[in-house]
Amino acid sequence: MKEDIYILAIESSCDETAAAVVKNGREVLSNVIFSQIELHRQYGGVVPEIASRKHIEKINQVIEEALEQACMTLQDVTAIAVTYGPGLVGALLVGVSAAKAISFATGIPLVGVHHIEGHISANYIENKELEPPFLCLVVSGGHTHLVVVKDYGTYEIVGRTRDDAAGEAFDKVARALGLGYPGGPRIDQLSKEGNARAIPFPRAKVEESAYDFSFSGLKSAVLNYLNSCEMKGVEVKRADVAASFQQAVIDVLVGHALEAAENYGYDKFAIAGGVASNSSLRTAFAEECRQRKIRFYYPSAVYCTDNAAMIGAAGYYEYQKGIRSGLDLNAVPNLKLGER
Ligand code: KG4
Ligand code: ZN
């Protein structure tokens, strides 16, 4: 009988201090997340210095809780997986240092994990039958990538944003609408009361690259619209602006992603990252995939935004491939997907 593999996973790349225990890559035994959102809200975005300091305060507690909830001690852990990039360097360093310290003190093997690989692997947790190859759209606060998942840990990026990430656009437009931080969930909610066809915001195409994205023009169009309303003394229907903006993002994401799925010949498609928890985006993909006879996968909201369970899932497959990190593992803020 095959021995069970228990991964203790740690994630601290941005503003969530998180630890989890994952069994055999797909079974989450605990998933503890300390969110710093309240702390950063008053500044309208993540303040790196504050994030690092809070990670330091919380990391040990979060790791202890993850083990406790899984009814385990460090002796039961097979390997430690930790996000080492991309992300905020000071924030990443806290998780990496904690993971290295535990590995050094106990001799438990260490596996460095790419944050985006984590987001993609979140899909394995609840979709037990999902296996590569498939196409995945990663849409988060820092990334918008269209990725061919060729095998576990083997990726090819076929499309990416040329400027803002999708989540970044949500956050900036929400700020302009006075909705606060983080903007994605607020726009998601407000859009339900608005008319998505009220304002014809642009759907950008990137010359010579069918699967690349650009959101800065859309963001500027929303800001210009708001300014011109103000100058003309016209009342802004915020719900209509939110819904029309969101629809423009969705149209581009769905259009590019499913065109790529068809052209590359994939009948399995997944979404990942914070923006993947957007309710209208999920509905739009579900409907389009149904029409095109493509199987559609998505993680629950808790596994879309930053968490450590997804790092445990990715770490398991890296561990199984024999990948080990040394105690010289460092934080790499601009780590590329597929690089080590
Ligand atoms: O994956 P994530 O937690 O962190 C990064 O790795 O960046 O993504 C955070 C991003 C934020 O920009 C947030 O506004 C966006 O995901 N987001 C959403 C929703 N929930 C979170 N965007 C649209 N709709 C949502 N429901
Ligand atoms: Zn993330």
Side-chain angles (χ1 to χ4, degrees):
M1 211 174 76
K2 256 173 55 183
E3 205 184 317
D4 288 327
I5 308 280
Y6 294 92
I7 305 280
L8 169 64
I10 300 172
E11 154 68 41
S12 70
S13 66
C14 191
D15 61 344
E16 263 91 28
T17 321
V21 176
V22 178
K23 181 181 173 186
N24 298 331
R26 301 210 180 207
E27 193 184 331
V28 177
L29 303 186
S30 63
N31 186 31
V32 179
I33 305 168
F34 173 78
S35 170
Q36 304 180 1
I37 283 179
E38 287 310 322
L39 215 60
H40 298 282
R41 184 164 279 151
Q42 58 181 308
Y43 304 101
V46 178
V47 182
E49 284 298 323
I50 295 177
S52 314
R53 204 181 297 177
K54 205 66 192 173
H55 283 312
I56 292 173
E57 275 175 42
K58 286 286 167 184
I59 193 93
N60 287 341
Q61 186 189 329
V62 163
I63 293 170
E64 272 167 27
E65 252 180 70
L67 287 169
E68 212 174 283
Q69 285 182 21
C71 301
M72 287 175 60
T73 67
L74 282 173
Q75 282 176 342
D76 308 309
V77 171
T78 317
I80 304 163
V82 64
T83 307
Y84 73 110
L88 301 169
V89 67
L92 287 164
L93 271 172
V94 177
V96 168
S97 306
K100 289 202 294 191
I102 299 171
S103 175
F104 178 67
T106 58
I108 300 171
L110 182 66
V111 183
V113 171
H114 192 289
H115 183 74
I116 298 298
E117 180 170 11
H119 274 302
I120 295 169
S121 303
N123 279 287
Y124 299 135
I125 295 170
E126 294 156 301
N127 302 301
K128 309 290 181 203
E129 77 289 2
L130 176 63
E131 296 205 29
F134 60 93
L135 186 73
C136 185
L137 174 71
V138 185
V139 270
S140 71
H143 309 271
T144 303
H145 284 357
L146 198 48
V147 183
V148 173
V149 182
K150 295 185 161 175
D151 196 353
Y152 294 107
T154 310
Y155 306 97
E156 185 190 343
I157 299 173
V158 295
R160 50 159 51 89
T161 181
R162 294 292 181 95
D163 37 58
D164 291 352
E168 208 177 337
F170 269 94
D171 293 337
K172 286 177 178 168
V173 166
R175 189 194 289 204
L177 287 171
L179 297 176
Y181 175 85
R186 303 272 174 95
I187 290 191
D188 193 350
Q189 273 314 105
L190 186 60
S191 294
K192 295 187 199 307
E193 298 156 27
N195 174 5
R197 305 282 161 208
I199 310 150
F201 289 129
R203 275 78 171 150
K205 275 217 165 286
V206 176
E207 292 273 320
E208 292 149 21
S209 183
Y211 309 129
D212 278 358
F213 305 93
S214 167
F215 294 109
S216 69
L218 170 60
K219 176 194 66 193
S220 303
V222 176
L223 298 183
N224 289 342
Y225 175 83
L226 294 175
N227 281 338
S228 79
C229 286
E230 197 184 339
M231 276 159 60
K232 291 183 207 153
V234 176
E235 191 205 341
V236 172
K237 288 189 179 152
R238 294 198 307 173
D240 283 356
V241 178
S244 300
F245 157 77
Q246 182 176 275
Q247 193 59 50
V249 176
I250 291 173
D251 285 352
V252 171
L253 292 176
V254 173
H256 285 29
L258 296 188
E259 194 183 325
E262 280 196 351
N263 290 347
Y264 282 91
Y266 289 104
D267 62 355
K268 289 187 279 181
F269 172 73
I271 54 173
V275 182
S277 60
N278 184 277
S279 51
S280 304
L281 181 75
R282 287 167 179 256
T283 309
F285 268 121
E287 177 56 23
E288 275 293 317
C289 285
R290 194 183 57 78
Q291 284 184 18
R292 296 178 194 229
K293 299 196 168 33
I294 294 172
R295 268 172 294 168
F296 174 48
Y297 300 90
Y298 54 91
S300 292
V302 68
Y303 298 127
C304 283
T305 43
D306 288 349
N307 66 88
M310 67 184 197
I311 303 302
Y316 167 81
Y317 290 103
E318 297 289 5
Y319 177 82
Q320 289 293 62
K321 284 194 335 195
I323 295 200
R324 306 287 182 269
S325 302
L327 289 174
D328 57 351
L329 182 71
N330 203 352
V332 185
N334 56 357
L335 186 66
K336 302 280 175 291
L337 189 62
E339 271 179 15
R340 286 230 147 246

